[in-house]
Amino acid sequence: MYILGISAYYHDSAACLIHNNEIIAAAHEERFTRVKQDENFPENAVKYCLKEAGLELSDIEAVVYYEKPFLKFERLLESYYHFAPRGLISFVKSIPVWVKEKLFIKDELYSQLKKLGKYDKKKLKLYFSEHHLSHAASAYYPSGFESAAILTLDGMGEWASASIATGTGNKIQIIKELHYPNSPGLLYSAFTYFLGFMVNSGEYKLMGLAPYGNHGSLQVENYKNLIRENLVDIRPDGSIKLHMKYFAFATGLKMIRTKKWESLFGIKKRNSSDPVLQCHSDLALAIQQITEEIVLNMTREAKRLTENKNLCLAGGVALNCVANSAILKENIFDRIFIQPAAGDAGGALGAALAFAHLHNNMPISECNTDKMKGAFLGPEFSDLDVLKTARKYGAEFEYIEDNNRLFEFTARQLTEGKVTGWFRGRMEFGPRALGNRSILADARNPEMQKKLNLKIKFREGFRPFAPSVLHEDTKKYFNIDVSSPYMLFTADVATGIRKNLPGDYENLDMMSKLYIQRSTVPAITHCDFSARLQTVHKETNPDYHALISKFKELTGTGLIVNTSFNVRGEPIVCTPDEAFRCFMRTGMDVLVMQNYVFIKEKQNINPELFKEKFKPD
Amino acid sequence: MEFIKDIWQFLKERKKFWLIPMIIILLLVGILVIFGGSSSVAPFVYTLF
C-alpha cells in the first residue's frame, strides 16, 4: 500500500512516499525549483518520490494533504469577526485568495496531480489530516517508541499552535491544545521580525544571536520582565496568553505594533542591514530564555498528562535546539525523539503516516528502531551524473575509485585548512545537511569560522557552525549523554578542551567575543561554549563516519565542521550541477562528488559563468 | 457541486451554521470579482456597486 503525503500552499512545500511502515522517499520542493521555502504544489518532489519507487500515480492508494483548509478558513472568519472592525484591510486582502484558490484546494490538488500522470479519480482518494496531528504523527511513528508523550509546537496550524498527545501502539490521541492567537512560535517570530530577521526563516539567526547576550545581566532580566508583564502570560500548565494590543498578526499585515514595541523596550526596530548591537543580543537572549520556559512548562504538562517515559517532538519550534537541550537537561523523559523535518515540510510525512496508521489501522512495526533512515530520503546521483556535469563545464577532475583512498585524500585536504564540499548519496530531508550535502572544514583552525561565514557562505559573521562528531567520541568533546544524529540538540564543549577566557570577556563587544579562541576546536565553539552537534553513526552514514575516522587518524580529533552545502538565501544543493556551480562561485577549495575530486586551483573556467544572486534570507 | 457537499458536511460536523451567510456572501462577491474581469458581466458589476 503506497501513500503519498503532501504539504504545500503555505511555506516549504514537500512530498513524501511511504509503503506500509517504510518511508521510501521524501523531499522539499525548494531543492528542485531552487526557490527558498517554495510554497507551490510540490510537483517535482512528487515526481521524484514516484520515480524513487518506480511507480506511476495510478499505483498510489491515497494522497494525504497535511492540514484541513476548511478548518483554517473557519479560524480566519471567526477571528476577523472577533476583532472587527479592526483587521478590515487584512480581511480584504486575504479573503479573495481564499475564495479564489485556497477554499478549493481539493480541486487544485486533483488538477495538479493530473499534470503528473493518469489516474482514476474514483480509486485515488484525497484525504486531509489535521496540521498538528500531522506533526505528531511525523514524530511518533518514525521514533520506534511503543508509546510516547507527543508535543507539537509551531506558529499556527488550523486553530492549534501547540498540542500534547499520547501515542500508544498505532494510535495517537490529542489530549490538549493551545489555540490561536496564542502561539509560542508566533511570539518567537515576532521577536525575529523586531530584530531585523525574516519571519519563517530568520528564527535560526535569532537563536544563534542569543548566546551573545550577557547572561544574568540586569538588561536581560529587565527585558524578560517586560516580556512577561506586557507581551505574554506564561502559565504553569503550559499554556500562554499573548496580549494582542502589542501584536498585529491577527488584524494587520505585520507581526507586531512596532511603535508600541519600540517604546516598551526602548530600542528601535532593527532593519536587516543595521549593525547588530549588544541590546539586540540581550533581547534575543531574553526571548530565547522565555521560549525555553514556555517549552519546559509544556513538557512538564505532557509528562503529567501522559506519565510516559518517552517524548516525541515536532513542529517548527522543535527546531530550536537550545530549547530541546533544556528539555534534555530537565531529565523527566528517558528517551526523546525529534523529527528532523520538524517544520511544515515534515507534515507531508506525518499526513501519510497518520492516514496509514489511524485511518487504515496499520500496526506499527518492530520497535526501538528509528525509521527515518538518518533522514537520507532524497535523490541520489550516480558517478555518470557527476561526470556529465564535469564535462558540461570542462572541469579538471580526478577519479579516485577506492573509497579508502578517497577518504584519506579528503581528510588530508581538511587538515591543510581546505574547505571541502562533500556530495555523496541521498539528499537529506529536513533543514539540516547531515553529511551528504555538506561543506566540511577543520574545526581546530582558528580562522575557520570567519572564513566560512564571509568567504564561503556569505552570511552574518556572528553565526556559529556545527560539528559532526564520531558518535563513539562524543563524550570526549561534549557534555551530553544522548546521541544527536539530526543536529537537534546543543551541548556544552567539555571542560577538558576549553581555553581560559580573558577577564573582561563579558564586557567585550560581540565581534571581539567572536574571535576569541574558546577551545581547541574554536570553529564550532559558540561564545557561550555551546555547540549544535551532530553525532555520526556508522550504521546510518558509513561513508561520512569513515571520512571523520580518517581525519581522526591524521589529527587525533574525531570531529569536523559541517555546514549545509549552499550560500545565504540558496536552498541546499540537490544535483551535481548545483553543487559544482556553488563550488565555483564561493571560496571553497575542494569539491568531492561521489568519487570525483575537483580542486579549485586546477579549474580553468571563467568564474563569471557561475555568478548567481539569491535573495538574502 | 462536490465543494458545496464538502463544506456542508464540514459545517454540520463543526455545528458552525452561523458561518453560512458569511460564506455565501463571500462566494457571491468572489464570483462577481472573478467574472467582473470579463467584459460580458462587467456592466452588471458596475450596476450593483
Side-chain angles (χ1 to χ4, degrees), chain A residues 480-496:
Chain A
I480 191 166
D481 291 324
V482 299
S483 60
S484 173
Y486 303 119
M487 228 184 244
L488 286 166
F489 290 113
T490 58
D492 288 338
V493 167
T495 40

Side-chain angles (χ1 to χ4, degrees), chain A residues 523-543:
Chain A
I524 58 90
T525 310
H526 206 10
C527 61
D528 61 348
F529 289 104
S530 69
R532 189 188 68 198
L533 80 160
Q534 176 201 5
T535 53
V536 180
H537 303 247
K538 208 173 184 174
E539 302 75 29
T540 46
N541 200 344
D543 287 355

Side-chain angles (χ1 to χ4, degrees), chain A residues 285-304:
Chain A
L285 179 60
I287 187 56
Q288 177 61 37
Q289 290 183 346
I290 292 280
T291 303
E292 287 168 34
E293 189 181 331
I294 295 168
V295 171
L296 282 179
N297 283 346
M298 287 186 178
T299 313
R300 289 186 202 111
E301 182 71 354
K303 178 74 182 180
R304 189 185 71 78

